[in-house]
Amino acid sequence: MELDLKEIRKNLDTIDDQLITLFRNRMELSSQVAAYKKESGMPILDTGRERQIINRVSAAAGEEFEHYAKLLYQTIFNVSRAYQAELLRPASSLVTKLEEAAKNIQPKMPGRALVACQGKEGAYSQKICDQMFEFADILYMNSFNDVFKAVETGMCPFGILPIENSTAGSVTQVYDLMEKHNFHIVRAARQRIEHRLLALPGTKFSDITEIVSHEQALRQCAAFLSANPKIKVTAMENTAVAANFVANSGRKDLAAIASPECEQLYGLETLSTQVSDSDHNFTRFICIAKDLKVYEGANKISLMLSAAHRPGSLYRLLSHISVMGLNLTKLESRPMPGKDFEFRFFFDIEASIKDPAVRNLIGELKNDSDQLVFLGNYEEMK
């Protein structure tokens, strides 16, 4: 007679009780292994030993369950290594720095600030800046690199940068510049992007031979541009810069893709409001500062790290996050200049450094990676 569900679950509970007892015993033995490795100067990771165990237990599990047994023991090894690393880890300067930041969380972002933005008045960065700061004095920069430098040198306490778009994807130029500058993210926000085709008053769409805008905006309007293949497309530093260029050109054959605000700012007229590939076009912006500052409500952590160029290195990093049960909201990879097929990774995690376990996790990730940079713990405005 087959067992009913209640009886099956009772048997599973009994097995789970046995498993957790065995798990505790195994972790206690792992602590003894950690002490021996410390005394002997041995590394925590022993790939040969792990391979032997996986081969043995997967064979014992049988053909039906061998892959599941391998996955189970890979997870057990990750947990065991993390525990050993915590026992053996010397005081980390990064973890100490995060502990200090957690003790000094600021109540709120300042309402008044000097902020570096790329472009001109009417740029999307300016709009998001006014959303983040009630009274912002904006210093306009020619490039994203100049925004980073303005913050890094102390010229401006804050800077605004676009980081990804729902249609065109990541702003790769900003990601690449992250590797070259010292900064911390203190806030993020999403903004709906509404592109318009703007030209001098009296211009007809049939007269247009060239369209100018920022590279990202052009990518977000790819379908519209493809439908008009005879029109030349020219990339410029910023959408507002493009609108200003059209306003000062005197040309009736030139148009810009820019925000609705640029129409009034630069004395232009709208030729079309149907230029974006999607009506749901959003760009995510970050606000950066030089020093590590965490404000109340911070619930997202961004990290930049490079993994060793060997099989399984990225998996081991991800397993630390998985074991903690944290939500990984973004994983971006960028090639490392001068290295063949090696990548630097950018992680966004829903977490706060107020949690000691999260601080320890970051310490473990630092130990298991070739390089780790803590980019910030911040709130993302809705």
Side-chain angles (χ1 to χ4, degrees), residues 114-130 136-144 146-147 150 155-156 158-160 238 240-241 261-262 265-266:
L114 178 62
V115 186
C117 291
Q118 191 263 348
K120 294 178 71 67
E121 197 75 16
Y124 291 106
S125 293
Q126 172 252 308
K127 293 177 64 178
I128 206 74
C129 179
D130 288 338
D137 289 325
I138 300 177
L139 193 58
Y140 289 107
M141 301 290 162
N142 292 327
S143 67
F144 295 143
D146 289 339
V147 174
M155 180 187 297
C156 296
F158 299 98
I160 301 291
N238 184 270
V241 170
E261 288 76 10
C262 286
L265 277 170
Y266 300 109

mmCIF file of all heavy atoms in Angstrom, residues 114-130 136-144 146-147 150 155-156 158-160 238 240-241 261-262 265-266:
data_model
loop_
_atom_site.group_PDB
_atom_site.id
_atom_site.type_symbol
_atom_site.label_atom_id
_atom_site.label_comp_id
_atom_site.label_asym_id
_atom_site.label_seq_id
_atom_site.Cartn_x
_atom_site.Cartn_y
_atom_site.Cartn_z
ATOM 1 N N LEU A 114 26.421 71.303 -5.162
ATOM 2 C CA LEU A 114 27.016 71.569 -6.468
ATOM 3 C C LEU A 114 27.197 70.216 -7.148
ATOM 4 O O LEU A 114 27.863 69.325 -6.614
ATOM 5 C CB LEU A 114 28.362 72.276 -6.314
ATOM 6 C CG LEU A 114 29.129 72.584 -7.604
ATOM 7 C CD1 LEU A 114 28.341 73.536 -8.498
ATOM 8 C CD2 LEU A 114 30.514 73.163 -7.280
ATOM 9 N N VAL A 115 26.587 70.065 -8.315
ATOM 10 C CA VAL A 115 26.521 68.748 -8.966
ATOM 11 C C VAL A 115 27.067 68.838 -10.388
ATOM 12 O O VAL A 115 26.704 69.744 -11.148
ATOM 13 C CB VAL A 115 25.064 68.233 -9.005
ATOM 14 C CG1 VAL A 115 25.027 66.799 -9.548
ATOM 15 C CG2 VAL A 115 24.427 68.297 -7.628
ATOM 16 N N ALA A 116 27.925 67.878 -10.729
ATOM 17 C CA ALA A 116 28.475 67.805 -12.086
ATOM 18 C C ALA A 116 27.557 66.949 -12.958
ATOM 19 O O ALA A 116 27.197 65.835 -12.584
ATOM 20 C CB ALA A 116 29.879 67.205 -12.073
ATOM 21 N N CYS A 117 27.161 67.492 -14.122
ATOM 22 C CA CYS A 117 26.345 66.767 -15.093
ATOM 23 C C CYS A 117 26.969 66.922 -16.473
ATOM 24 O O CYS A 117 27.538 67.973 -16.790
ATOM 25 C CB CYS A 117 24.917 67.313 -15.142
ATOM 26 S SG CYS A 117 23.940 66.985 -13.665
ATOM 27 N N GLN A 118 26.843 65.903 -17.289
ATOM 28 C CA GLN A 118 27.364 65.979 -18.643
ATOM 29 C C GLN A 118 26.323 66.599 -19.562
ATOM 30 O O GLN A 118 25.134 66.278 -19.489
ATOM 31 C CB GLN A 118 27.745 64.577 -19.141
ATOM 32 C CG GLN A 118 28.529 64.549 -20.432
ATOM 33 C CD GLN A 118 27.645 64.299 -21.650
ATOM 34 O OE1 GLN A 118 26.487 63.940 -21.518
ATOM 35 N NE2 GLN A 118 28.207 64.491 -22.835
ATOM 36 N N GLY A 119 26.759 67.549 -20.430
ATOM 37 C CA GLY A 119 25.854 68.120 -21.414
ATOM 38 C C GLY A 119 25.546 69.579 -21.186
ATOM 39 O O GLY A 119 26.419 70.363 -20.804
ATOM 40 N N LYS A 120 24.276 69.949 -21.407
ATOM 41 C CA LYS A 120 23.802 71.315 -21.258
ATOM 42 C C LYS A 120 22.421 71.303 -20.610
ATOM 43 O O LYS A 120 21.843 70.230 -20.389
ATOM 44 C CB LYS A 120 23.717 72.008 -22.641
ATOM 45 C CG LYS A 120 25.054 72.231 -23.324
ATOM 46 C CD LYS A 120 24.871 72.874 -24.683
ATOM 47 C CE LYS A 120 24.436 74.327 -24.568
ATOM 48 N NZ LYS A 120 25.479 75.200 -23.984
ATOM 49 N N GLU A 121 21.894 72.503 -20.357
ATOM 50 C CA GLU A 121 20.534 72.613 -19.836
ATOM 51 C C GLU A 121 19.557 71.914 -20.788
ATOM 52 O O GLU A 121 19.621 72.091 -22.004
ATOM 53 C CB GLU A 121 20.151 74.095 -19.701
ATOM 54 C CG GLU A 121 18.957 74.358 -18.818
ATOM 55 C CD GLU A 121 19.254 74.215 -17.338
ATOM 56 O OE1 GLU A 121 20.448 74.199 -16.959
ATOM 57 O OE2 GLU A 121 18.294 74.122 -16.556
ATOM 58 N N GLY A 122 18.667 71.109 -20.213
ATOM 59 C CA GLY A 122 17.731 70.342 -21.022
ATOM 60 C C GLY A 122 18.151 68.899 -21.201
ATOM 61 O O GLY A 122 17.381 68.085 -21.726
ATOM 62 N N ALA A 123 19.374 68.554 -20.755
ATOM 63 C CA ALA A 123 19.836 67.163 -20.826
ATOM 64 C C ALA A 123 19.065 66.313 -19.822
ATOM 65 O O ALA A 123 18.569 66.810 -18.813
ATOM 66 C CB ALA A 123 21.334 67.095 -20.541
ATOM 67 N N TYR A 124 18.979 65.022 -20.097
ATOM 68 C CA TYR A 124 18.268 64.131 -19.178
ATOM 69 C C TYR A 124 18.970 64.066 -17.822
ATOM 70 O O TYR A 124 18.321 63.892 -16.788
ATOM 71 C CB TYR A 124 18.131 62.743 -19.799
ATOM 72 C CG TYR A 124 17.181 62.717 -20.971
ATOM 73 C CD1 TYR A 124 17.648 62.605 -22.282
ATOM 74 C CD2 TYR A 124 15.805 62.819 -20.783
ATOM 75 C CE1 TYR A 124 16.781 62.593 -23.364
ATOM 76 C CE2 TYR A 124 14.926 62.808 -21.852
ATOM 77 C CZ TYR A 124 15.423 62.694 -23.151
ATOM 78 O OH TYR A 124 14.551 62.693 -24.210
ATOM 79 N N SER A 125 20.311 64.219 -17.807
ATOM 80 C CA SER A 125 21.049 64.241 -16.541
ATOM 81 C C SER A 125 20.617 65.417 -15.684
ATOM 82 O O SER A 125 20.536 65.312 -14.450
ATOM 83 C CB SER A 125 22.559 64.311 -16.813
ATOM 84 O OG SER A 125 23.034 63.133 -17.407
ATOM 85 N N GLN A 126 20.337 66.542 -16.327
ATOM 86 C CA GLN A 126 19.876 67.720 -15.588
ATOM 87 C C GLN A 126 18.504 67.459 -14.959
ATOM 88 O O GLN A 126 18.235 67.838 -13.819
ATOM 89 C CB GLN A 126 19.810 68.933 -16.518
ATOM 90 C CG GLN A 126 19.168 70.162 -15.897
ATOM 91 C CD GLN A 126 17.793 70.453 -16.476
ATOM 92 O OE1 GLN A 126 17.634 70.542 -17.701
ATOM 93 N NE2 GLN A 126 16.793 70.592 -15.614
ATOM 94 N N LYS A 127 17.628 66.788 -15.696
ATOM 95 C CA LYS A 127 16.289 66.495 -15.180
ATOM 96 C C LYS A 127 16.358 65.583 -13.951
ATOM 97 O O LYS A 127 15.666 65.805 -12.952
ATOM 98 C CB LYS A 127 15.444 65.857 -16.276
ATOM 99 C CG LYS A 127 15.117 66.779 -17.444
ATOM 100 C CD LYS A 127 14.334 66.060 -18.528
ATOM 101 C CE LYS A 127 12.976 65.609 -18.045
ATOM 102 N NZ LYS A 127 12.193 64.954 -19.128
ATOM 103 N N ILE A 128 17.207 64.565 -14.019
ATOM 104 C CA ILE A 128 17.299 63.638 -12.881
ATOM 105 C C ILE A 128 18.000 64.316 -11.714
ATOM 106 O O ILE A 128 17.715 64.038 -10.541
ATOM 107 C CB ILE A 128 18.005 62.329 -13.283
ATOM 108 C CG1 ILE A 128 17.559 61.173 -12.368
ATOM 109 C CG2 ILE A 128 19.520 62.458 -13.248
ATOM 110 C CD1 ILE A 128 16.187 60.669 -12.624
ATOM 111 N N CYS A 129 18.913 65.225 -12.006
ATOM 112 C CA CYS A 129 19.590 65.989 -10.950
ATOM 113 C C CYS A 129 18.574 66.804 -10.164
ATOM 114 O O CYS A 129 18.611 66.846 -8.924
ATOM 115 C CB CYS A 129 20.656 66.888 -11.570
ATOM 116 S SG CYS A 129 21.535 67.903 -10.364
ATOM 117 N N ASP A 130 17.653 67.465 -10.857
ATOM 118 C CA ASP A 130 16.627 68.250 -10.188
ATOM 119 C C ASP A 130 15.665 67.378 -9.391
ATOM 120 O O ASP A 130 15.018 67.836 -8.450
ATOM 121 C CB ASP A 130 15.848 69.080 -11.211
ATOM 122 C CG ASP A 130 16.664 70.230 -11.776
ATOM 123 O OD1 ASP A 130 17.632 70.639 -11.111
ATOM 124 O OD2 ASP A 130 16.359 70.705 -12.887
ATOM 125 N N ALA A 136 19.782 72.404 -6.674
ATOM 126 C CA ALA A 136 21.056 71.974 -7.249
ATOM 127 C C ALA A 136 21.695 73.099 -8.052
ATOM 128 O O ALA A 136 21.033 73.720 -8.892
ATOM 129 C CB ALA A 136 20.852 70.754 -8.138
ATOM 130 N N ASP A 137 22.966 73.369 -7.778
ATOM 131 C CA ASP A 137 23.780 74.203 -8.655
ATOM 132 C C ASP A 137 24.515 73.244 -9.584
ATOM 133 O O ASP A 137 25.323 72.425 -9.113
ATOM 134 C CB ASP A 137 24.785 75.034 -7.855
ATOM 135 C CG ASP A 137 24.120 76.137 -7.062
ATOM 136 O OD1 ASP A 137 23.131 76.696 -7.560
ATOM 137 O OD2 ASP A 137 24.597 76.437 -5.953
ATOM 138 N N ILE A 138 24.216 73.331 -10.876
ATOM 139 C CA ILE A 138 24.748 72.349 -11.821
ATOM 140 C C ILE A 138 25.946 72.918 -12.567
ATOM 141 O O ILE A 138 25.896 74.040 -13.092
ATOM 142 C CB ILE A 138 23.663 71.909 -12.821
ATOM 143 C CG1 ILE A 138 22.478 71.285 -12.087
ATOM 144 C CG2 ILE A 138 24.233 70.912 -13.827
ATOM 145 C CD1 ILE A 138 21.326 70.880 -12.978
ATOM 146 N N LEU A 139 27.025 72.148 -12.578
ATOM 147 C CA LEU A 139 28.208 72.478 -13.354
ATOM 148 C C LEU A 139 28.258 71.507 -14.530
ATOM 149 O O LEU A 139 28.445 70.301 -14.338
ATOM 150 C CB LEU A 139 29.461 72.348 -12.486
ATOM 151 C CG LEU A 139 30.765 72.946 -13.023
ATOM 152 C CD1 LEU A 139 30.604 74.439 -13.293
ATOM 153 C CD2 LEU A 139 31.908 72.706 -12.057
ATOM 154 N N TYR A 140 28.044 72.028 -15.742
ATOM 155 C CA TYR A 140 27.962 71.157 -16.915
ATOM 156 C C TYR A 140 29.346 70.794 -17.428
ATOM 157 O O TYR A 140 30.228 71.651 -17.532
ATOM 158 C CB TYR A 140 27.141 71.828 -18.022
ATOM 159 C CG TYR A 140 25.665 71.883 -17.689
ATOM 160 C CD1 TYR A 140 25.054 73.091 -17.333
ATOM 161 C CD2 TYR A 140 24.896 70.728 -17.710
ATOM 162 C CE1 TYR A 140 23.702 73.136 -17.014
ATOM 163 C CE2 TYR A 140 23.544 70.767 -17.393
ATOM 164 C CZ TYR A 140 22.962 71.962 -17.049
ATOM 165 O OH TYR A 140 21.634 71.998 -16.721
ATOM 166 N N MET A 141 29.519 69.506 -17.747
ATOM 167 C CA MET A 141 30.791 68.958 -18.216
ATOM 168 C C MET A 141 30.658 68.508 -19.672
ATOM 169 O O MET A 141 29.564 68.174 -20.131
ATOM 170 C CB MET A 141 31.202 67.766 -17.344
ATOM 171 C CG MET A 141 31.360 68.121 -15.874
ATOM 172 S SD MET A 141 32.807 69.148 -15.618
ATOM 173 C CE MET A 141 32.459 69.840 -14.009
ATOM 174 N N ASN A 142 31.788 68.462 -20.365
ATOM 175 C CA ASN A 142 31.782 68.058 -21.767
ATOM 176 C C ASN A 142 31.643 66.547 -21.946
ATOM 177 O O ASN A 142 31.169 66.089 -22.988
ATOM 178 C CB ASN A 142 33.062 68.525 -22.471
ATOM 179 C CG ASN A 142 33.121 70.040 -22.612
ATOM 180 O OD1 ASN A 142 32.095 70.689 -22.782
ATOM 181 N ND2 ASN A 142 34.320 70.598 -22.515
ATOM 182 N N SER A 143 32.074 65.769 -20.958
ATOM 183 C CA SER A 143 32.096 64.317 -21.124
ATOM 184 C C SER A 143 31.801 63.622 -19.801
ATOM 185 O O SER A 143 31.868 64.232 -18.723
ATOM 186 C CB SER A 143 33.470 63.856 -21.646
ATOM 187 O OG SER A 143 34.472 64.074 -20.652
ATOM 188 N N PHE A 144 31.515 62.319 -19.888
ATOM 189 C CA PHE A 144 31.318 61.507 -18.687
ATOM 190 C C PHE A 144 32.611 61.475 -17.870
ATOM 191 O O PHE A 144 32.582 61.490 -16.641
ATOM 192 C CB PHE A 144 30.901 60.083 -19.060
ATOM 193 C CG PHE A 144 29.563 59.999 -19.741
ATOM 194 C CD1 PHE A 144 29.341 59.079 -20.765
ATOM 195 C CD2 PHE A 144 28.511 60.813 -19.363
ATOM 196 C CE1 PHE A 144 28.113 58.989 -21.390
ATOM 197 C CE2 PHE A 144 27.275 60.737 -19.982
ATOM 198 C CZ PHE A 144 27.072 59.815 -21.002
ATOM 199 N N ASP A 146 34.790 63.764 -17.571
ATOM 200 C CA ASP A 146 34.915 65.019 -16.834
ATOM 201 C C ASP A 146 34.043 65.030 -15.583
ATOM 202 O O ASP A 146 34.401 65.664 -14.579
ATOM 203 C CB ASP A 146 34.537 66.202 -17.737
ATOM 204 C CG ASP A 146 35.569 66.467 -18.817
ATOM 205 O OD1 ASP A 146 36.722 66.029 -18.651
ATOM 206 O OD2 ASP A 146 35.221 67.098 -19.834
ATOM 207 N N VAL A 147 32.900 64.358 -15.625
ATOM 208 C CA VAL A 147 32.049 64.248 -14.438
ATOM 209 C C VAL A 147 32.780 63.469 -13.351
ATOM 210 O O VAL A 147 32.828 63.882 -12.184
ATOM 211 C CB VAL A 147 30.699 63.569 -14.776
ATOM 212 C CG1 VAL A 147 29.883 63.319 -13.499
ATOM 213 C CG2 VAL A 147 29.894 64.422 -15.752
ATOM 214 N N ALA A 150 35.576 65.639 -11.950
ATOM 215 C CA ALA A 150 35.082 66.746 -11.118
ATOM 216 C C ALA A 150 34.800 66.267 -9.692
ATOM 217 O O ALA A 150 35.076 66.974 -8.720
ATOM 218 C CB ALA A 150 33.829 67.352 -11.738
ATOM 219 N N MET A 155 36.130 69.053 -7.057
ATOM 220 C CA MET A 155 35.530 70.238 -7.670
ATOM 221 C C MET A 155 34.034 70.288 -7.377
ATOM 222 O O MET A 155 33.476 71.353 -7.098
ATOM 223 C CB MET A 155 35.763 70.234 -9.181
ATOM 224 C CG MET A 155 35.164 71.433 -9.911
ATOM 225 S SD MET A 155 35.277 71.277 -11.712
ATOM 226 C CE MET A 155 37.046 71.251 -11.955
ATOM 227 N N CYS A 156 33.376 69.114 -7.452
ATOM 228 C CA CYS A 156 31.947 68.996 -7.148
ATOM 229 C C CYS A 156 31.751 67.869 -6.144
ATOM 230 O O CYS A 156 32.325 66.782 -6.320
ATOM 231 C CB CYS A 156 31.133 68.703 -8.409
ATOM 232 S SG CYS A 156 31.158 70.020 -9.642
ATOM 233 N N PHE A 158 29.120 66.077 -5.831
ATOM 234 C CA PHE A 158 28.309 65.030 -6.430
ATOM 235 C C PHE A 158 28.385 65.106 -7.954
ATOM 236 O O PHE A 158 28.664 66.155 -8.529
ATOM 237 C CB PHE A 158 26.846 65.141 -5.987
ATOM 238 C CG PHE A 158 26.638 65.005 -4.510
ATOM 239 C CD1 PHE A 158 26.498 66.130 -3.710
ATOM 240 C CD2 PHE A 158 26.590 63.749 -3.915
ATOM 241 C CE1 PHE A 158 26.304 66.024 -2.347
ATOM 242 C CE2 PHE A 158 26.401 63.623 -2.548
ATOM 243 C CZ PHE A 158 26.265 64.763 -1.756
ATOM 244 N N GLY A 159 28.085 63.985 -8.588
ATOM 245 C CA GLY A 159 28.011 63.914 -10.046
ATOM 246 C C GLY A 159 26.893 62.980 -10.468
ATOM 247 O O GLY A 159 26.579 62.013 -9.758
ATOM 248 N N ILE A 160 26.292 63.258 -11.617
ATOM 249 C CA ILE A 160 25.194 62.436 -12.144
ATOM 250 C C ILE A 160 25.647 61.774 -13.436
ATOM 251 O O ILE A 160 26.204 62.430 -14.324
ATOM 252 C CB ILE A 160 23.940 63.292 -12.430
ATOM 253 C CG1 ILE A 160 23.458 63.998 -11.163
ATOM 254 C CG2 ILE A 160 22.823 62.427 -13.025
ATOM 255 C CD1 ILE A 160 22.886 63.096 -10.106
ATOM 256 N N ASN A 238 25.850 64.848 -26.336
ATOM 257 C CA ASN A 238 24.693 64.897 -25.461
ATOM 258 C C ASN A 238 23.471 65.301 -26.275
ATOM 259 O O ASN A 238 23.597 65.995 -27.292
ATOM 260 C CB ASN A 238 24.972 65.919 -24.344
ATOM 261 C CG ASN A 238 23.882 65.979 -23.313
ATOM 262 O OD1 ASN A 238 22.943 66.753 -23.471
ATOM 263 N ND2 ASN A 238 23.999 65.192 -22.263
ATOM 264 N N ALA A 240 21.084 67.412 -25.373
ATOM 265 C CA ALA A 240 20.884 68.855 -25.281
ATOM 266 C C ALA A 240 21.920 69.612 -26.106
ATOM 267 O O ALA A 240 21.613 70.650 -26.709
ATOM 268 C CB ALA A 240 20.942 69.313 -23.832
ATOM 269 N N VAL A 241 23.141 69.103 -26.138
ATOM 270 C CA VAL A 241 24.186 69.695 -26.986
ATOM 271 C C VAL A 241 23.748 69.628 -28.452
ATOM 272 O O VAL A 241 23.933 70.577 -29.222
ATOM 273 C CB VAL A 241 25.532 68.970 -26.780
ATOM 274 C CG1 VAL A 241 26.548 69.399 -27.830
ATOM 275 C CG2 VAL A 241 26.076 69.244 -25.382
ATOM 276 N N GLU A 261 11.898 69.343 -23.223
ATOM 277 C CA GLU A 261 12.348 70.599 -22.636
ATOM 278 C C GLU A 261 13.258 71.378 -23.578
ATOM 279 O O GLU A 261 13.288 72.616 -23.545
ATOM 280 C CB GLU A 261 13.076 70.334 -21.313
ATOM 281 C CG GLU A 261 12.192 69.916 -20.172
ATOM 282 C CD GLU A 261 11.719 68.475 -20.243
ATOM 283 O OE1 GLU A 261 12.228 67.722 -21.100
ATOM 284 O OE2 GLU A 261 10.829 68.096 -19.452
ATOM 285 N N CYS A 262 13.991 70.672 -24.421
ATOM 286 C CA CYS A 262 14.915 71.336 -25.338
ATOM 287 C C CYS A 262 14.181 72.145 -26.412
ATOM 288 O O CYS A 262 14.747 73.081 -26.979
ATOM 289 C CB CYS A 262 15.830 70.313 -26.007
ATOM 290 S SG CYS A 262 17.100 69.654 -24.897
ATOM 291 N N LEU A 265 13.668 75.496 -24.660
ATOM 292 C CA LEU A 265 14.956 76.072 -24.270
ATOM 293 C C LEU A 265 15.721 76.652 -25.450
ATOM 294 O O LEU A 265 16.364 77.704 -25.340
ATOM 295 C CB LEU A 265 15.820 74.997 -23.588
ATOM 296 C CG LEU A 265 15.581 74.746 -22.102
ATOM 297 C CD1 LEU A 265 16.327 73.502 -21.660
ATOM 298 C CD2 LEU A 265 16.024 75.949 -21.269
ATOM 299 N N TYR A 266 15.664 75.956 -26.591
ATOM 300 C CA TYR A 266 16.485 76.343 -27.735
ATOM 301 C C TYR A 266 15.666 76.861 -28.920
ATOM 302 O O TYR A 266 16.187 76.973 -30.028
ATOM 303 C CB TYR A 266 17.378 75.165 -28.143
ATOM 304 C CG TYR A 266 18.288 74.749 -27.005
ATOM 305 C CD1 TYR A 266 18.086 73.552 -26.317
ATOM 306 C CD2 TYR A 266 19.311 75.585 -26.581
ATOM 307 C CE1 TYR A 266 18.899 73.186 -25.260
ATOM 308 C CE2 TYR A 266 20.137 75.232 -25.524
ATOM 309 C CZ TYR A 266 19.929 74.040 -24.857
ATOM 310 O OH TYR A 266 20.737 73.690 -23.797
#
